[in-house]
Amino acid sequence: EATLNVDIFTIKDTVLAEEIRNQCLIALDRKQINAENDSMIRIHYRSDGQLFEPEQDVSHWNIEFGVIYWRKEFIRNLTE
């Protein structure tokens, strides 16, 4: 398992940062990708929140996803 961090930066606009955050969740949460080597990659939401930025005009939002890489052969062995 790995961690995917998505950092969103906007100028003075926390509403825009949250809109981008929502679109990232729609695009990535529970996403399943078939890899070229007949394996499955799954992305799932873990947490998110606004982070402190030293520059007053910058809004910073972070989303953390977990990324799981499953070999299909491994999954078949679990179900047999």
Coordinates of all heavy atoms in Angstrom, one line a residue:
E1 N 0.8 -1.2 0.0 CA 0.0 0.0 0.0 C 0.9 1.2 0.0 O 1.9 1.3 0.6 CB -0.9 0.0 1.2 CG -1.9 1.1 1.2 CD -3.0 1.0 2.2 OE1 -3.2 -0.1 2.8 OE2 -3.7 2.0 2.4
A2 N 0.4 2.3 -0.7 CA 1.1 3.5 -0.8 C 0.2 4.7 -0.4 O -1.0 4.5 -0.4 CB 1.7 3.7 -2.1
T3 N 0.7 5.9 -0.3 CA -0.1 7.0 0.0 C 0.1 8.0 -1.2 O 1.2 8.2 -1.6 CB 0.4 7.7 1.3 OG1 0.3 6.8 2.4 CG2 -0.4 9.0 1.6
L4 N -1.1 8.5 -1.6 CA -1.1 9.6 -2.6 C -1.6 10.8 -2.0 O -2.7 10.9 -1.4 CB -2.0 9.1 -3.8 CG -2.4 10.2 -4.8 CD1 -1.2 10.7 -5.6 CD2 -3.5 9.7 -5.7
N5 N -0.8 11.9 -2.0 CA -1.2 13.2 -1.5 C -1.5 14.1 -2.6 O -0.7 14.3 -3.5 CB -0.1 13.8 -0.6 CG -0.1 13.2 0.8 OD1 -1.0 13.5 1.6 ND2 0.9 12.4 1.1
V6 N -2.7 14.8 -2.6 CA -3.0 15.8 -3.5 C -3.1 17.1 -2.8 O -3.8 17.3 -1.8 CB -4.4 15.5 -4.2 CG1 -4.8 16.6 -5.1 CG2 -4.4 14.2 -4.9
D7 N -2.2 18.0 -3.2 CA -2.1 19.4 -2.6 C -2.8 20.4 -3.5 O -2.4 20.4 -4.7 CB -0.7 19.8 -2.3 CG -0.1 19.0 -1.1 OD1 -0.6 19.2 0.0 OD2 0.8 18.1 -1.3
I8 N -3.7 21.2 -3.0 CA -4.4 22.2 -3.8 C -4.0 23.5 -3.2 O -4.2 23.8 -2.0 CB -5.9 21.9 -3.7 CG1 -6.2 20.5 -4.2 CG2 -6.7 23.0 -4.5 CD1 -7.6 20.0 -3.7
F9 N -3.6 24.4 -4.1 CA -3.2 25.8 -3.7 C -4.0 26.8 -4.5 O -4.1 26.7 -5.7 CB -1.7 26.1 -4.0 CG -0.8 25.2 -3.2 CD1 -0.4 24.0 -3.7 CD2 -0.4 25.6 -1.9 CE1 0.5 23.2 -2.9 CE2 0.5 24.8 -1.2 CZ 0.9 23.6 -1.7
T10 N -4.7 27.7 -3.8 CA -5.4 28.8 -4.5 C -5.0 30.1 -3.8 O -4.5 30.2 -2.7 CB -6.9 28.6 -4.4 OG1 -7.3 28.5 -3.0 CG2 -7.4 27.3 -5.1
I11 N -5.2 31.2 -4.6 CA -5.0 32.5 -4.0 C -6.3 33.1 -3.4 O -7.3 33.3 -4.2 CB -4.4 33.5 -5.2 CG1 -3.2 32.9 -5.8 CG2 -4.2 34.9 -4.6 CD1 -2.0 32.8 -4.9
K12 N -6.3 33.3 -2.1 CA -7.4 33.9 -1.4 C -8.8 33.3 -1.7 O -9.8 34.0 -1.6 CB -7.5 35.4 -1.8 CG -6.4 36.3 -1.2 CD -6.8 37.7 -1.5 CE -5.7 38.7 -1.0 NZ -6.0 40.0 -1.2
D13 N -8.8 32.0 -2.0 CA -10.1 31.5 -2.4 C -10.3 30.0 -1.8 O -10.0 29.1 -2.5 CB -10.2 31.4 -3.9 CG -11.7 31.2 -4.4 OD1 -12.5 30.8 -3.5 OD2 -12.0 31.5 -5.5
T14 N -10.7 30.0 -0.6 CA -10.9 28.6 0.0 C -12.1 27.9 -0.6 O -12.1 26.7 -0.6 CB -11.2 28.8 1.5 OG1 -12.3 29.6 1.8 CG2 -10.0 29.3 2.3
V15 N -13.1 28.6 -1.1 CA -14.2 28.0 -1.8 C -13.8 27.3 -3.1 O -14.1 26.1 -3.3 CB -15.3 29.0 -2.1 CG1 -16.4 28.4 -3.0 CG2 -15.9 29.6 -0.9
L16 N -12.9 27.9 -3.8 CA -12.4 27.3 -5.0 C -11.5 26.0 -4.7 O -11.6 25.0 -5.3 CB -11.5 28.2 -5.9 CG -10.8 27.6 -7.1 CD1 -11.9 27.1 -8.1 CD2 -10.0 28.7 -7.8
A17 N -10.7 26.1 -3.6 CA -9.9 25.0 -3.2 C -10.9 23.8 -2.8 O -10.6 22.7 -3.1 CB -9.1 25.4 -2.0
E18 N -12.0 24.1 -2.1 CA -12.9 23.0 -1.7 C -13.6 22.5 -3.0 O -13.9 21.3 -3.0 CB -13.9 23.6 -0.7 CG -13.3 23.8 0.6 CD -14.3 24.2 1.7 OE1 -15.3 23.5 1.8 OE2 -14.0 25.3 2.3
E19 N -13.9 23.3 -4.0 CA -14.5 22.8 -5.2 C -13.5 21.8 -5.9 O -13.9 20.8 -6.4 CB -14.9 23.9 -6.1 CG -16.1 24.7 -5.6 CD -16.4 25.9 -6.4 OE1 -15.8 26.2 -7.5 OE2 -17.3 26.7 -6.1
I20 N -12.3 22.2 -6.0 CA -11.3 21.3 -6.6 C -11.1 20.1 -5.8 O -11.1 19.0 -6.3 CB -9.9 22.1 -6.7 CG1 -10.0 23.3 -7.6 CG2 -8.8 21.1 -7.1 CD1 -8.8 24.2 -7.6
R21 N -11.2 20.2 -4.4 CA -11.1 19.0 -3.6 C -12.3 18.0 -3.9 O -12.1 16.8 -4.0 CB -11.2 19.5 -2.1 CG -11.4 18.3 -1.1 CD -12.6 18.6 -0.2 NE -12.8 17.6 0.8 CZ -13.9 16.9 0.9 NH1 -14.9 17.1 0.0 NH2 -14.0 16.0 1.8
N22 N -13.5 18.6 -4.0 CA -14.6 17.7 -4.3 C -14.5 17.0 -5.7 O -14.8 15.9 -5.8 CB -15.9 18.6 -4.3 CG -16.2 19.1 -2.9 OD1 -15.8 18.5 -1.9 ND2 -17.0 20.1 -2.8
Q23 N -13.9 17.7 -6.7 CA -13.7 17.1 -8.0 C -12.6 16.0 -7.9 O -12.8 15.0 -8.6 CB -13.3 18.1 -9.0 CG -14.5 19.1 -9.4 CD -15.7 18.3 -9.9 OE1 -15.6 17.5 -10.8 NE2 -16.9 18.6 -9.3
C24 N -11.6 16.2 -7.1 CA -10.6 15.2 -6.9 C -11.2 13.9 -6.2 O -10.9 12.8 -6.6 CB -9.4 15.7 -6.0 SG -8.4 16.9 -6.8
L25 N -12.1 14.1 -5.3 CA -12.7 13.0 -4.6 C -13.6 12.2 -5.6 O -13.6 11.0 -5.6 CB -13.6 13.4 -3.4 CG -12.8 13.9 -2.2 CD1 -13.8 14.4 -1.1 CD2 -12.1 12.7 -1.6
I26 N -14.3 12.9 -6.4 CA -15.1 12.3 -7.5 C -14.3 11.5 -8.4 O -14.6 10.3 -8.8 CB -16.0 13.3 -8.2 CG1 -17.1 13.9 -7.3 CG2 -16.6 12.7 -9.5 CD1 -17.8 15.1 -7.8
A27 N -13.1 12.1 -8.8 CA -12.3 11.4 -9.8 C -11.5 10.2 -9.2 O -11.2 9.3 -9.9 CB -11.3 12.4 -10.4
L28 N -11.1 10.3 -7.9 CA -10.1 9.3 -7.4 C -10.7 8.3 -6.4 O -10.2 7.2 -6.3 CB -8.9 10.0 -6.8 CG -8.1 10.8 -7.8 CD1 -7.0 11.6 -7.1 CD2 -7.4 9.8 -8.8
D29 N -11.7 8.7 -5.5 CA -12.1 7.9 -4.5 C -12.8 6.6 -5.0 O -13.7 6.7 -5.9 CB -13.1 8.6 -3.5 CG -13.4 7.8 -2.3 OD1 -12.6 7.0 -1.9 OD2 -14.5 8.0 -1.8
R30 N -12.3 5.5 -4.6 CA -12.8 4.2 -5.0 C -12.6 3.9 -6.4 O -13.3 3.1 -7.0 CB -14.3 4.0 -4.6 CG -14.5 4.1 -3.2 CD -16.0 3.8 -2.8 NE -16.2 4.0 -1.4 CZ -17.3 3.6 -0.8 NH1 -18.3 3.2 -1.4 NH2 -17.4 3.8 0.5
K31 N -11.6 4.5 -7.0 CA -11.2 4.3 -8.4 C -10.4 3.0 -8.5 O -9.6 2.7 -7.7 CB -10.3 5.4 -8.9 CG -9.8 5.3 -10.3 CD -10.9 5.7 -11.2 CE -10.3 5.7 -12.7 NZ -11.3 6.0 -13.6
Q32 N -10.8 2.1 -9.5 CA -10.1 0.9 -9.7 C -9.5 1.0 -11.1 O -10.2 1.4 -12.1 CB -11.1 -0.3 -9.7 CG -11.6 -0.5 -8.3 CD -12.5 -1.7 -8.2 OE1 -12.5 -2.5 -9.1 NE2 -13.1 -1.9 -7.1
I33 N -8.2 0.6 -11.2 CA -7.5 0.7 -12.4 C -6.9 -0.6 -12.7 O -6.2 -1.2 -11.9 CB -6.3 1.8 -12.3 CG1 -6.9 3.2 -12.0 CG2 -5.5 1.8 -13.6 CD1 -5.9 4.2 -11.5
N34 N -7.1 -1.1 -14.0 CA -6.4 -2.3 -14.4 C -5.0 -2.0 -14.9 O -4.9 -1.3 -15.9 CB -7.2 -3.1 -15.5 CG -8.5 -3.7 -14.9 OD1 -8.5 -4.3 -13.9 ND2 -9.6 -3.5 -15.6
A35 N -4.0 -2.5 -14.3 CA -2.6 -2.3 -14.7 C -2.3 -3.2 -15.9 O -3.0 -4.2 -16.1 CB -1.7 -2.6 -13.6
E36 N -1.2 -2.9 -16.6 CA -0.9 -3.6 -17.8 C -0.5 -5.1 -17.5 O -0.6 -5.9 -18.3 CB 0.3 -2.9 -18.5 CG -0.1 -1.6 -19.1 CD 1.1 -1.0 -19.8 OE1 2.2 -1.6 -19.9 OE2 1.0 0.2 -20.2
N37 N 0.0 -5.4 -16.3 CA 0.4 -6.7 -16.0 C -0.7 -7.5 -15.3 O -0.4 -8.4 -14.6 CB 1.7 -6.7 -15.0 CG 1.3 -6.0 -13.7 OD1 0.3 -5.4 -13.5 ND2 2.3 -6.0 -12.8
D38 N -1.9 -7.3 -15.7 CA -3.1 -8.0 -15.2 C -3.3 -7.9 -13.7 O -3.7 -8.8 -13.1 CB -3.0 -9.5 -15.7 CG -4.3 -10.2 -15.6 OD1 -5.4 -9.5 -15.9 OD2 -4.4 -11.4 -15.3
S39 N -2.9 -6.7 -13.2 CA -3.1 -6.5 -11.8 C -4.1 -5.4 -11.6 O -4.5 -4.6 -12.5 CB -1.8 -6.1 -11.2 OG -0.8 -7.1 -11.3
M40 N -4.6 -5.2 -10.3 CA -5.6 -4.2 -10.0 C -5.0 -3.2 -9.0 O -4.3 -3.6 -8.1 CB -6.8 -4.9 -9.3 CG -7.9 -3.9 -8.9 SD -8.7 -3.2 -10.3 CE -9.6 -4.5 -11.0
I41 N -5.2 -1.9 -9.3 CA -4.8 -0.8 -8.5 C -6.1 -0.2 -8.0 O -7.0 0.1 -8.8 CB -4.0 0.2 -9.2 CG1 -2.7 -0.5 -9.7 CG2 -3.7 1.4 -8.3 CD1 -1.9 0.4 -10.7
R42 N -6.2 0.0 -6.7 CA -7.4 0.7 -6.1 C -7.0 1.9 -5.3 O -6.1 1.8 -4.5 CB -8.2 -0.3 -5.2 CG -9.4 0.3 -4.7 CD -10.4 -0.7 -4.1 NE -11.6 0.0 -3.6 CZ -12.2 -0.3 -2.5 NH1 -11.8 -1.2 -1.7 NH2 -13.3 0.4 -2.2
I43 N -7.7 3.0 -5.5 CA -7.5 4.2 -4.7 C -8.7 4.5 -3.8 O -9.8 4.4 -4.3 CB -7.2 5.4 -5.7 CG1 -6.1 5.1 -6.7 CG2 -7.0 6.7 -5.0 CD1 -6.0 6.0 -7.8
H44 N -8.4 4.8 -2.6 CA -9.5 5.2 -1.7 C -9.1 6.4 -0.8 O -8.0 6.6 -0.4 CB -9.9 3.9 -0.8 CG -8.7 3.4 0.1 ND1 -8.6 3.9 1.4 CD2 -7.7 2.6 -0.2 CE1 -7.5 3.3 1.9 NE2 -7.0 2.5 0.9
Y45 N -10.1 7.1 -0.5 CA -10.0 8.3 0.4 C -9.6 8.0 1.8 O -10.2 7.0 2.4 CB -11.3 9.1 0.3 CG -11.4 10.2 1.4 CD1 -10.9 11.4 1.1 CD2 -12.1 10.0 2.6 CE1 -11.0 12.5 2.0 CE2 -12.2 11.0 3.5 CZ -11.7 12.2 3.2 OH -11.8 13.2 4.1
R46 N -8.7 8.7 2.4 CA -8.3 8.6 3.8 C -8.7 9.8 4.6 O -9.4 9.6 5.6 CB -6.8 8.3 3.9 CG -6.3 7.0 3.6 CD -4.9 6.8 4.0 NE -4.4 5.5 3.6 CZ -3.1 5.3 3.4 NH1 -2.2 6.3 3.5 NH2 -2.7 4.2 3.0
S47 N -8.2 11.0 4.2 CA -8.5 12.2 5.0 C -8.2 13.4 4.2 O -7.6 13.3 3.1 CB -7.7 12.2 6.3 OG -6.3 12.3 5.9
D48 N -8.7 14.5 4.7 CA -8.4 15.8 4.0 C -8.5 17.0 5.0 O -9.2 16.8 6.0 CB -9.2 16.0 2.7 CG -10.6 16.3 3.1 OD1 -11.4 15.4 3.4 OD2 -11.0 17.5 3.0
G49 N -8.0 18.1 4.6 CA -8.2 19.3 5.4 C -7.4 20.4 4.9 O -6.5 20.3 4.1
Q50 N -7.7 21.6 5.4 CA -7.0 22.8 5.1 C -5.7 22.9 5.9 O -5.7 22.6 7.1 CB -7.8 24.0 5.3 CG -7.3 25.3 4.7 CD -8.3 26.4 4.7 OE1 -9.3 26.3 5.3 NE2 -7.9 27.4 3.9
L51 N -4.6 23.2 5.3 CA -3.3 23.3 6.0 C -2.8 24.8 6.1 O -3.2 25.6 5.3 CB -2.2 22.5 5.2 CG -2.5 21.0 5.0 CD1 -1.4 20.4 4.2 CD2 -2.6 20.3 6.4
F52 N -2.1 25.0 7.1 CA -1.5 26.4 7.3 C -0.5 26.7 6.3 O 0.3 25.9 5.9 CB -0.9 26.5 8.7 CG -0.1 27.7 8.9 CD1 -0.8 28.9 9.2 CD2 1.3 27.8 8.8 CE1 -0.1 30.1 9.3 CE2 2.0 28.9 9.0 CZ 1.3 30.1 9.2
E53 N -0.6 27.9 5.7 CA 0.4 28.4 4.8 C 0.9 29.7 5.3 O 0.1 30.6 5.7 CB -0.3 28.7 3.4 CG -0.3 27.5 2.5 CD 1.1 27.0 2.1 OE1 2.0 27.8 1.8 OE2 1.3 25.8 2.2
P54 N 2.2 29.9 5.3 CA 2.8 31.1 5.9 C 2.4 32.4 5.1 O 2.3 33.5 5.6 CB 4.3 30.9 5.8 CG 4.5 29.7 4.9 CD 3.2 29.0 4.9
E55 N 2.1 32.2 3.8 CA 1.7 33.4 3.0 C 0.2 33.6 3.2 O -0.6 32.7 2.9 CB 2.0 33.1 1.5 CG 3.5 33.1 1.2 CD 3.8 33.0 -0.3 OE1 3.1 33.7 -1.0 OE2 4.8 32.3 -0.6
Q56 N -0.1 34.8 3.5 CA -1.5 35.1 3.9 C -2.5 34.9 2.7 O -3.7 34.7 2.9 CB -1.6 36.5 4.4 CG -1.0 36.7 5.7 CD -1.1 38.1 6.2 OE1 -1.5 39.0 5.5 NE2 -0.6 38.4 7.4
D57 N -2.1 35.1 1.5 CA -2.9 35.1 0.3 C -3.1 33.7 -0.2 O -3.9 33.5 -1.2 CB -2.4 36.0 -0.8 CG -2.5 37.5 -0.5 OD1 -3.1 37.8 0.5 OD2 -1.8 38.3 -1.1
V58 N -2.5 32.7 0.3 CA -2.5 31.3 -0.2 C -3.4 30.4 0.7 O -3.2 30.4 1.9 CB -1.1 30.8 -0.3 CG1 -1.1 29.3 -0.8 CG2 -0.3 31.6 -1.3
S59 N -4.3 29.7 0.0 CA -5.1 28.7 0.7 C -4.5 27.4 0.2 O -4.3 27.1 -1.0 CB -6.6 28.8 0.2 OG -7.3 27.8 0.8
H60 N -4.3 26.5 1.2 CA -3.7 25.2 0.9 C -4.6 24.1 1.5 O -4.9 24.0 2.6 CB -2.3 25.1 1.6 CG -1.6 23.8 1.3 ND1 -0.4 23.5 1.9 CD2 -1.9 22.7 0.6 CE1 0.0 22.4 1.6 NE2 -0.8 21.8 0.7
W61 N -5.0 23.2 0.6 CA -5.9 22.0 1.0 C -5.1 20.8 0.6 O -4.5 20.7 -0.5 CB -7.2 22.1 0.2 CG -8.3 21.3 0.9 CD1 -8.5 20.0 0.8 CD2 -9.3 21.8 1.8 NE1 -9.5 19.6 1.6 CE2 -10.1 20.7 2.2 CE3 -9.6 23.0 2.3 CZ2 -11.2 20.8 3.0 CZ3 -10.7 23.1 3.1 CH2 -11.5 22.0 3.5
N62 N -5.2 19.8 1.5 CA -4.5 18.5 1.2 C -5.5 17.4 1.3 O -6.3 17.3 2.2 CB -3.4 18.3 2.2 CG -2.7 16.9 2.1 OD1 -3.2 16.0 2.7 ND2 -1.8 16.8 1.2
I63 N -5.4 16.5 0.4 CA -6.2 15.2 0.4 C -5.3 14.1 0.4 O -4.3 14.0 -0.4 CB -7.2 15.1 -0.8 CG1 -7.9 16.4 -1.1 CG2 -8.1 13.9 -0.7 CD1 -8.6 16.4 -2.4
E64 N -5.5 13.1 1.3 CA -4.7 11.9 1.3 C -5.5 10.7 0.9 O -6.6 10.4 1.4 CB -4.2 11.7 2.7 CG -3.3 10.5 2.8 CD -2.7 10.3 4.2 OE1 -2.0 11.2 4.7 OE2 -3.0 9.3 4.9
F65 N -5.0 9.9 -0.1 CA -5.6 8.7 -0.6 C -4.7 7.5 -0.3 O -3.4 7.7 -0.3 CB -5.8 8.8 -2.1 CG -6.8 9.8 -2.5 CD1 -6.4 11.1 -2.9 CD2 -8.2 9.5 -2.6 CE1 -7.3 12.0 -3.3 CE2 -9.1 10.4 -3.0 CZ -8.7 11.7 -3.4
G66 N -5.3 6.4 -0.1 CA -4.5 5.2 0.0 C -4.5 4.5 -1.4 O -5.6 4.5 -2.0
V67 N -3.4 3.9 -1.8 CA -3.3 3.3 -3.1 C -2.9 1.8 -2.8 O -1.9 1.6 -2.2 CB -2.3 3.9 -4.0 CG1 -2.2 3.2 -5.3 CG2 -2.6 5.4 -4.2
I68 N -3.8 0.9 -3.2 CA -3.5 -0.5 -3.0 C -3.3 -1.2 -4.3 O -4.1 -1.0 -5.3 CB -4.7 -1.2 -2.2 CG1 -4.9 -0.5 -0.9 CG2 -4.4 -2.7 -2.0 CD1 -6.1 -1.0 -0.2
Y69 N -2.2 -2.0 -4.4 CA -1.9 -2.7 -5.6 C -2.1 -4.2 -5.4 O -1.3 -4.8 -4.6 CB -0.4 -2.3 -6.0 CG 0.1 -3.1 -7.1 CD1 -0.2 -2.8 -8.4 CD2 1.1 -4.1 -6.9 CE1 0.3 -3.5 -9.5 CE2 1.6 -4.8 -8.0 CZ 1.2 -4.5 -9.3 OH 1.8 -5.2 -10.3
W70 N -3.1 -4.7 -6.0 CA -3.3 -6.2 -5.9 C -3.0 -6.9 -7.1 O -3.5 -6.5 -8.2 CB -4.8 -6.4 -5.6 CG -5.3 -5.9 -4.2 CD1 -5.8 -4.7 -4.0 CD2 -5.2 -6.6 -3.0 NE1 -6.1 -4.6 -2.7 CE2 -5.7 -5.7 -2.0 CE3 -4.7 -7.8 -2.6 CZ2 -5.8 -6.0 -0.7 CZ3 -4.7 -8.1 -1.3 CH2 -5.3 -7.3 -0.3
R71 N -2.3 -8.0 -7.0 CA -2.1 -8.9 -8.2 C -3.3 -9.8 -8.3 O -3.8 -10.3 -7.3 CB -0.8 -9.8 -7.9 CG 0.5 -9.0 -7.9 CD 1.6 -10.0 -7.7 NE 1.3 -11.1 -6.9 CZ 1.9 -11.3 -5.7 NH1 2.8 -10.5 -5.2 NH2 1.5 -12.3 -4.9
K72 N -3.8 -9.9 -9.5 CA -5.0 -10.7 -9.7 C -4.8 -12.1 -9.3 O -5.7 -12.8 -8.8 CB -5.5 -10.6 -11.1 CG -6.1 -9.3 -11.4 CD -6.8 -9.2 -12.8 CE -7.4 -7.9 -13.0 NZ -8.1 -7.8 -14.3
E73 N -3.6 -12.7 -9.5 CA -3.3 -14.0 -9.1 C -3.5 -14.2 -7.5 O -4.0 -15.1 -7.0 CB -1.9 -14.4 -9.5 CG -1.5 -15.8 -9.1 CD -0.1 -16.1 -9.5 OE1 0.3 -15.8 -10.6 OE2 0.6 -16.7 -8.6
F74 N -3.1 -13.2 -6.8 CA -3.2 -13.2 -5.3 C -4.7 -13.2 -5.0 O -5.1 -13.9 -4.1 CB -2.5 -11.9 -4.7 CG -2.6 -11.8 -3.3 CD1 -1.9 -12.6 -2.4 CD2 -3.5 -10.9 -2.7 CE1 -2.1 -12.5 -1.0 CE2 -3.6 -10.7 -1.4 CZ -2.9 -11.5 -0.5
I75 N -5.5 -12.4 -5.6 CA -6.9 -12.3 -5.3 C -7.6 -13.6 -5.6 O -8.4 -14.1 -4.9 CB -7.6 -11.1 -6.1 CG1 -7.1 -9.8 -5.6 CG2 -9.1 -11.2 -6.0 CD1 -7.4 -8.6 -6.4
R76 N -7.2 -14.2 -6.8 CA -7.8 -15.6 -7.1 C -7.5 -16.6 -6.0 O -8.3 -17.4 -5.7 CB -7.3 -16.0 -8.5 CG -8.0 -15.4 -9.6 CD -7.6 -16.1 -10.9 NE -6.3 -15.8 -11.3 CZ -5.9 -14.9 -12.2 NH1 -6.9 -14.2 -12.9 NH2 -4.7 -14.6 -12.5
N77 N -6.3 -16.5 -5.5 CA -5.9 -17.5 -4.4 C -6.7 -17.3 -3.2 O -7.0 -18.2 -2.4 CB -4.4 -17.4 -4.2 CG -3.6 -18.0 -5.3 OD1 -4.1 -18.9 -6.0 ND2 -2.4 -17.5 -5.4
L78 N -7.1 -16.0 -2.9 CA -7.9 -15.8 -1.7 C -9.3 -16.3 -1.8 O -9.9 -16.7 -0.8 CB -8.0 -14.3 -1.5 CG -6.8 -13.6 -1.0 CD1 -7.0 -12.1 -0.9 CD2 -6.3 -14.1 0.4
T79 N -9.9 -16.3 -3.0 CA -11.3 -16.7 -3.2 C -11.4 -18.2 -3.6 O -12.5 -18.7 -3.6 CB -11.9 -15.9 -4.4 OG1 -11.2 -16.1 -5.6 CG2 -11.9 -14.4 -4.0
E80 N -10.3 -18.9 -3.8 CA -10.4 -20.3 -4.1 C -10.3 -21.2 -2.9 O -9.8 -20.9 -1.9 CB -9.4 -20.7 -5.1 CG -9.6 -20.1 -6.5 CD -8.5 -20.4 -7.5 OE1 -7.5 -21.1 -7.1 OE2 -8.6 -20.0 -8.6

